[in-house]
């Protein structure tokens, strides 16, 4: 009887795993198709879409050619072993950090939105100025308490060191992104072990992440980045380690995600993905019960430490006294995510709706009612169109919304003596992104293409299940709540690891086909 139950549970685990494969593939292929062929025809919540150097269908073709050529190169030339990246990448990261600080020096860190508000609060708090003007902001957005306190500390340190506080805080965020890209590359190396894939992944992560215009903006996007990179990298290490290291890695992984949630709670999607992944592995009879127990214990301890201890301490160091009755809750972001005028992106009218109701219970009920009425008003056609636009708004921009999302940074600031080289590198002219922006878009298309091409393994003991679950969870979260292209910036590590794993499997599968036909390229990759 027990054997029958075990066999049934194992079959269920395999069935659910393949269901994850199917859901992931549908979403990834749909995103790639919409971005490649619907980018120009679909509306944009911000009233325009950047005119890149190439049309999106051409970007798709170029990305496909790049993957084909890279696959051929990996098949042609041996790419096994070798850990030179352990020594080379830290040195390259230092060089990138120098360039990052040049970018931060000349590009603006402020705009008329949240980073400006939080930075000005931090400076006023350290100088002992009047903080009354910041009270309404922290009343509405309690999710930025953590960043505000961190910013206070960084501003205080900058004053002690006699450094420009804006540059210093932005530089710390850029350093975090830089370290995140390095940690990510080392994690990929531990899982795949092919130096050329590690280098390629690091280059892509660096161009899209470390050299992004967003590094000049001290905000949650850059400060969250290294936590996401750490969680993803630790998962790869976890799947390639043995007890007791396994349990230590799991504890650090979960704790890192909860610390990151002080900046953006979206990172907890990765914890949910980890739990589901381990439950599926247990259902497939892969003997991970101790891992599951370790994860749940880590969640309990991390939640207690972060939300029961750290969060109250952060509030004590916040020099304003936010009114919890005015805090925007998930119902507000659900309402905004269903807004048909802005296609789920930021909408000031929705902020006014929530801010205009002083009672917390009434506000939550109103927000939820508006959200449900908006969803119920959609028929099948309008719902498909709405979410198609929302997907393209979120996934269609490799610059993650620089210069054309909300207020952004559309103009070169007159007070900065900006070198022409940096101006040409980052700023748009006549709604046309720079050459660097077009390069970022091409690399982003390559990541989306490899995500759609992520092949399953015959053996369902597949660490890419976690990556698929993370991708599905992140997409569902952003489709349900408010979205922006910028919200994907912090989660770039997920897409880079998917790229690395997908490319590795494409090479292995192609090599297996060639070997069966008696074709052996010099330096072949070997069997899976």
């Amino acid at each position: 009887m027990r054997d029958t139950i075990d066999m049934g549970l194992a079959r269920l685990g395999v069935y659910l795993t393949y269901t994850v494969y199917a859901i992931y593939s549908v979403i990834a292929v749909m995103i790639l198709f919409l971005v490649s062929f619907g980018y120009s025809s679909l509306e944009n919540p911000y009233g325009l879409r950047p005119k890149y150097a190439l049309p999106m269908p051409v970007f798709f073709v170029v990305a496909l050619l790049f993957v084909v050529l890279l696959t051929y190169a990996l098949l042609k030339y041996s790419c096994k072993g070798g850990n030179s990246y352990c020594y080379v990448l830290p040195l390259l990261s230092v060089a990138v950090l120098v360039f990052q600080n040049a970018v931060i020096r000349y590009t603006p860190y402020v705009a008329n939105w949240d980073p400006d508000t939080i930075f000005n609060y931090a400076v006023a708090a350290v100088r002992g100025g009047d903080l009354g003007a910041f009270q309404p902001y922290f009343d509405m957005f309690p999710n930025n308490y953590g960043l505000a306190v961190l910013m206070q500390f960084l501003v205080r340190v900058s004053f002690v060191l006699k450094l420009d506080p804006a540059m210093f805080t932005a530089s710390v965020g850029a350093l975090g992104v830089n370290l995140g890209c390095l940690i990510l590359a080392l994690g990929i190396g531990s899982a795949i072990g092919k130096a050329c894939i590690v280098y390629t992944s690091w280059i892509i992560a660096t161009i899209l992440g470390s050299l992004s215009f967003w590094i000049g903006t001290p905000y949650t996007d850059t400060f969250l980045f290294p936590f996401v990179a750490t969680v993803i990298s630790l998962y790869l290490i976890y799947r390639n380690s043995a007890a007791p290291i396994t349990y230590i890695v799991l504890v650090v992984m979960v704790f890192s995600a909860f610390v990151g949630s002080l900046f953006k709670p979206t990172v907890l999607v990765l914890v949910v993905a980890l739990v589901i992944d381990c439950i599926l592995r247990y259902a497939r009879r892969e003997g991970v019960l101790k891992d599951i127990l370790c994860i749940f214990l880590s969640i309990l301890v991390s939640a207690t430490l972060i939300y029961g201890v750290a969060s109250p301490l952060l509030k004590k160091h916040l020099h304003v006294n936010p009114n919890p009755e005015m805090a925007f809750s998930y119902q507000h972001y659900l309402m905004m995510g269903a807004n048909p005028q802005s296609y789920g992106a930021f909408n000031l009218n929705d902020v006014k709706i929530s801010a205009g109701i002083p009672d917390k219970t009434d506000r939550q009920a109103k927000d939820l009612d508006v959200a449900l009425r908006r969803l119920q008003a959609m028929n099948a056609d309008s719902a498909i169109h709405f979410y198609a636009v929302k997907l393209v708004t979120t996934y269609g921009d490799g610059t993650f919304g620089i210069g054309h999302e909300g207020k952004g940074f559309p103009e070169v600031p007159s007070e900065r003596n900006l070198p022409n080289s940096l101006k040409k590198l980052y700023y748009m002219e006549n709604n046309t992104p720079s050459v660097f922006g077009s390069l970022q878009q091409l690399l982003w298309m390559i990541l989306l293409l490899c995500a759609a091409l992520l092949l399953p393994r015959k053996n369902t003991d597949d660490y890419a299940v976690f990556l698929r679950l993370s991708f599905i969870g992140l997409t569902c979260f952003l489709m349900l709540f408010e979205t922006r292209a910028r919200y994907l910036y912090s989660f770039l590590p997920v897409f880079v690891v998917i790229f690395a794993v997908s490319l590795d499997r494409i090479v292995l599968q192609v090599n297996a086909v060639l070997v069966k036909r008696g074709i052996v390229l010099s330096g072949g990759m070997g069997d899976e």
Side-chain angles (χ1 to χ4, degrees):
M1 181 68 178
R2 181 170 182 176
D3 290 342
T4 303
I5 294 175
D6 287 346
M7 289 178 62
L9 190 60
R11 288 195 189 99
L12 177 62
V14 172
Y15 171 78
L16 291 175
T17 300
Y18 282 117
T19 301
V20 171
Y21 289 168
I23 295 173
Y24 167 86
S25 297
V26 169
I27 295 175
V29 171
M30 181 170 57
I31 289 172
L32 177 64
F33 178 82
L34 287 171
V35 172
S36 300
F37 304 104
Y39 180 87
S40 299
S41 59
L42 292 171
E43 296 91 335
N44 182 280
Y46 305 106
L48 55 87
R49 289 201 189 281
K51 299 176 183 177
Y52 286 102
L54 299 172
M56 284 302 151
V58 179
F59 270 122
F60 169 77
V61 173
V62 176
L64 183 59
L65 288 174
F66 176 88
V67 172
V68 170
L69 291 174
L70 187 56
T71 300
Y72 175 79
L74 294 177
L75 286 166
K76 182 71 175 177
Y77 304 103
S78 179
C79 194
K80 290 183 180 180
N83 60 353
S84 61
Y85 54 83
C86 293
Y87 313 102
V88 175
L89 290 185
L91 295 176
L92 291 176
S93 296
V94 172
V96 170
L97 184 63
V98 173
F99 183 78
Q100 283 177 315
N101 279 279
V103 172
I104 291 167
R105 178 180 179 184
Y106 289 110
T107 55
Y109 69 94
V110 294
N112 190 21
W113 58 296
D114 303 56
D116 188 19
T117 301
I118 296 174
F119 175 78
N120 288 336
Y121 155 79
V123 172
V126 172
R127 288 176 172 168
D130 181 17
L131 302 177
F134 302 101
Q135 181 76 41
Y137 177 84
F138 290 108
D139 283 347
M140 293 185 292
F141 304 111
N143 52 305
N144 281 332
Y145 290 172
L147 178 63
V149 175
L150 174 61
M151 201 78 78
Q152 277 179 215
F153 172 76
L154 295 178
V155 168
R156 193 177 301 277
V157 171
S158 71
F159 285 171
V160 172
L161 299 177
K162 297 183 179 180
L163 298 173
D164 178 82
M167 278 194 61
F168 182 72
T169 52
S171 294
V172 172
L175 175 62
V177 175
N178 199 333
L179 289 175
C181 291
L182 179 60
I183 291 169
L184 192 65
L186 297 178
I188 292 171
S190 72
I192 295 176
K194 298 182 176 73
C196 48
I197 293 181
V198 174
Y199 281 117
T200 304
S201 301
W202 180 83
I203 290 170
I204 292 176
T206 297
I207 292 175
L208 292 177
S210 293
L211 300 183
S212 169
F213 190 91
W214 287 120
I215 62 170
T217 305
Y219 194 46
T220 53
D221 307 290
T222 54
F223 287 106
L224 177 62
F225 190 103
F227 292 98
V228 175
T230 299
V231 172
I232 297 295
S233 299
L234 286 177
Y235 181 83
L236 298 177
I237 295 171
Y238 153 66
R239 290 302 299 270
N240 291 277
S241 61
I245 300 299
T246 295
Y247 307 122
I248 297 174
V249 171
L250 282 175
V251 170
V252 177
M253 179 181 173
V254 172
F255 185 72
S256 297
F258 273 89
V259 174
S261 71
L262 291 174
F263 299 111
K264 278 188 180 179
T266 320
V267 70
L268 295 179
V269 165
L270 303 181
V271 177
V272 175
L274 175 65
V275 171
I276 296 175
D277 175 57
C278 283
I279 290 175
L280 288 177
R281 291 175 62 203
Y282 178 74
R284 298 194 304 262
R285 320 314 291 163
E286 293 173 15
V288 291
L289 182 58
K290 290 183 179 179
D291 293 16
I292 295 175
L293 294 175
C294 179
I295 290 169
F296 278 108
L297 182 61
S298 299
I299 291 173
L300 179 63
V301 173
S302 298
T304 302
L305 290 175
I306 298 302
Y307 303 133
V309 179
S311 187
L313 285 176
L314 290 174
K315 290 180 182 179
K316 286 183 179 179
H317 287 85
L318 196 67
H319 295 294
V320 294
N321 187 24
N323 180 4
E325 285 294 310
M326 294 302 297
F328 286 0
S329 55
Y330 79 89
Q331 291 93 341
H332 165 77
Y333 298 100
L334 184 66
M335 173 181 67
M336 193 176 290
N339 190 304
Q341 280 75 43
S342 61
Y343 291 99
F346 176 83
N347 187 282
L348 185 58
N349 289 331
D350 284 348
V351 174
K352 293 178 179 178
I353 290 174
S354 296
I357 305 173
D359 182 77
K360 183 176 182 179
T361 303
D362 292 344
R363 181 170 61 255
Q364 290 176 342
K366 175 66 174 180
D367 290 346
L368 183 59
D369 177 65
V370 172
L372 293 176
R373 283 193 286 108
R374 286 173 175 175
L375 293 172
Q376 291 167 357
M378 296 182 191
N379 56 32
D381 290 341
S382 61
I384 290 172
H385 180 76
F386 175 84
Y387 286 106
V389 174
K390 198 172 182 181
L391 278 172
V392 173
T393 299
T394 307
Y395 281 95
D397 188 355
T399 69
F400 304 106
I402 286 300
H404 51 86
E405 186 177 276
K407 293 185 179 298
F409 304 93
E411 301 294 337
V412 179
S414 57
E415 71 275 11
R416 304 269 179 142
N417 184 21
L418 189 71
N420 285 332
S421 56
L422 282 180
K423 178 179 178 180
K424 292 178 180 178
L425 190 66
Y426 284 107
Y427 284 89
M428 292 196 303
E429 292 185 7
N430 299 321
N431 195 34
T432 301
S434 63
V435 173
F436 183 71
S438 294
L439 172 62
Q440 288 182 309
Q441 183 66 21
L442 173 60
L443 294 179
W444 179 243
M445 289 294 291
I446 291 170
L447 295 190
L448 294 182
L449 175 62
C450 285
L453 294 176
L454 181 58
L455 300 172
R457 283 171 46 168
K458 293 179 180 179
N459 180 0
T460 53
D461 181 13
D462 181 1
Y463 57 75
V465 173
F466 168 74
L467 299 175
R468 290 184 176 93
L469 288 166
S470 299
F471 183 94
I472 293 170
L474 180 61
T475 303
C476 290
F477 187 95
L478 294 176
M479 290 304 100
L480 190 61
F481 299 104
E482 177 205 355
T483 192
R484 290 177 183 268
R486 177 171 57 83
Y487 291 169
L488 286 182
Y489 175 81
S490 301
F491 292 90
L492 176 63
V494 176
F495 298 92
V496 173
V497 173
I498 289 176
F499 159 80
V501 174
S502 179
L503 181 62
D504 184 46
R505 293 185 179 180
I506 291 171
V507 172
L508 291 170
Q509 293 288 346
V510 172
N511 185 67
V513 172
L514 293 177
V515 170
K516 285 182 180 179
R517 296 186 177 184
I519 303 172
V520 179
L521 297 176
S522 60
M525 299 292 290
D527 299 325
E528 183 172 0

